[in-house]
Amino acid sequence: MSQADLEGSVYQEVAKKTNSSDIPAEQYYRDLKKMDDGSYIQTSIYLNPEPEVNEKITAYQANASERGVTYNVTTLDNITKLVISSDFESVYNESLLLSM
């Protein structure tokens, strides 16, 4: 999870896949930060994500601007990093859409 920037987060979540967990990746990190301009940024990082993770991100990224959110997606080897930015309500709603 070296891709995470831990400074200034108002919320952080870390999960690791076990026999009893139902997360769509080997490891998962998410944080929420409030920016100086009042907007919010949510970062989600997936280590070895299941295929539907990237499929869902790609599908919602295609029309993100219509929902008033900005996507920044980085994929490096077996890590997918998604940064969503907008106002709090839009980031929250987008998080619900992407929940797996």
Side-chain angles (χ1 to χ4, degrees), residues 5 8 21 28 32 35 45 49 54 56-58 61 63 66 70 73 77-78 81-82 85 87 92-93 95 99:
D5 176 13
S21 67
Y28 171 74
L32 180 67
M35 307 309 291
I45 302 172
N54 291 332
K56 205 169 195 182
I57 289 171
T58 300
Q61 181 182 18
N63 59 0
E66 295 172 16
T70 302
V73 181
D77 297 326
N78 59 344
K81 181 178 180 180
L82 167 62
S85 57
D87 61 89
Y92 177 77
N93 288 337
S95 179
S99 64

Side-chain angles (χ1 to χ4, degrees), residues 12-62:
Q12 292 180 340
E13 174 184 12
V14 178
K16 185 174 182 175
K17 189 171 219 149
T18 64
N19 290 339
S20 61
S21 67
D22 189 26
I23 63 171
E26 186 177 312
Q27 292 180 19
Y28 171 74
Y29 168 85
R30 178 170 38 188
D31 72 18
L32 180 67
K33 295 179 182 175
K34 184 174 184 181
M35 307 309 291
D36 291 338
D37 65 0
S39 65
Y40 285 81
I41 292 179
Q42 178 181 286
T43 301
S44 300
I45 302 172
Y46 304 87
L47 175 64
N48 292 323
E50 294 176 0
E52 63 264 15
V53 170
N54 291 332
E55 291 168 7
K56 205 169 195 182
I57 289 171
T58 300
Y60 284 116
Q61 181 182 18

